[in-house]
Amino acid sequence: GDQVEQSPSALSLHEGTDSALRCNFTTTMRSVQWFRQNSRGSLISLFYLASGTKENGRLKSAFDSKERRYSTLHIRDAQLEDSGTYFCAAENAGAKLTFGGGTRLTVRP
Amino acid sequence: DMKVTQMPRYLIKRMGENVLLECGQDMSHETMYWYRQDPGLGLQLIYISYDVDSNSEGDIPKGYRVSRKKREHFSLILDSAKTNQTSVYFCASSSGQGDAETLYFGSGTRLTVL
């Protein structure tokens, strides 16, 4: 079936640094969503993209509009509260949503 | 206030017992989902409901059934729970329309089957 591969699986950043998470799809996807799961287990939606880019504060996400086979989540000026597990989920043409395995992000002082 | 509410938050059951997980949403969303989350596996879709009494199997429906009698409620039922159904279960909802297809998740139910 469709696969969604996230990289890296784990990431450690110092406060104030920038980084990018990536989500690759084995097939063309219709849309992608990014979520953050905090230490209590709550899943919060960050972005929904059908194409192009979206930005919210220090977070910016892009969805490759040409081939629709990958998406990125950029974190600028990482803060301690950005720590958590980030999931992407992609929807194929049949409206099936598949989650990636997640990236565990730790931001250190 | 847009919310997806799951009950209970924690649940311990013995193998063979029946389990009922409840989910409610106050956004009048048509589409609701049940996922389970296991370490290293991300979230896996169990069932999806497109509206009242309009339910479809997800990727791992075996051992589960669902009920959607009102738009705002979506229940997950385990008849005769098994130990491999120990997991964290998440309910989600979405309007299912265009850019508003964002999923809203509940806080999860941690189920332990002994």
Side-chain angles (χ1 to χ4, degrees), chain B:
Chain B
D1 191 22
M2 299 189 294
K3 213 177 202 179
V4 177
T5 305
Q6 286 186 241
M7 294 292 287
R9 192 84 168 90
Y10 299 93
L11 188 59
I12 299 175
K13 286 285 191 176
R14 294 196 180 279
M15 194 167 59
E17 290 185 327
N18 298 333
V19 179
L20 173 65
L21 304 185
E22 305 264 30
C23 177
Q25 49 99 0
D26 60 4
M27 296 168 277
S28 297
H29 282 169
E30 293 176 349
T31 310
M32 296 185 75
Y33 312 77
W34 275 107
Y35 289 90
R36 63 177 281 177
Q37 184 179 28
D38 301 291
L41 292 178
L43 281 90
Q44 297 174 274
L45 180 65
I46 305 171
Y47 266 94
I48 182 171
S49 174
Y50 296 102
D51 211 330
V52 171
D53 285 330
S54 179
N55 308 318
S56 291
E57 295 181 346
D59 296 320
I60 52 163
K62 190 177 178 183
Y64 304 95
R65 62 184 174 92
V66 292
S67 175
R68 185 120 180 251
K69 296 302 180 186
K70 291 182 180 180
R71 180 173 279 190
E72 60 268 27
H73 289 132
F74 190 33
S75 302
L76 180 69
I77 301 121
L78 289 67
D79 295 314
S80 186
K82 300 172 182 53
T83 55
N84 62 9
Q85 291 178 309
T86 292
S87 186
V88 181
Y89 290 85
F90 286 96
C91 173
S93 74
S94 74
S95 70
Q97 295 174 17
D99 196 51
E101 286 180 41
T102 299
L103 261 62
Y104 294 85
F105 279 92
S107 301
T109 294
R110 185 176 291 275
L111 172 66
T112 303
V113 182
L114 303 174

Side-chain angles (χ1 to χ4, degrees), chain A residues 4-6 22-25 32-35 71 86-90 98-103:
Chain A
V4 176
E5 297 169 358
Q6 283 189 247
R22 188 172 172 108
C23 205
N24 288 329
F25 318 128
V32 63
Q33 299 187 45
W34 285 91
F35 301 88
S71 175
Y86 289 76
F87 289 97
C88 66
T98 303
F99 278 78
T103 294

Side-chain angles (χ1 to χ4, degrees), chain A residues 70-98:
Chain A
Y70 73 88
S71 175
T72 55
L73 178 68
H74 295 263
I75 303 172
R76 176 174 53 81
D77 185 24
Q79 300 297 304
L80 297 178
E81 61 264 28
D82 295 333
S83 293
T85 301
Y86 289 76
F87 289 97
C88 66
E91 183 182 20
N92 65 12
K96 179 186 170 185
L97 194 67
T98 303

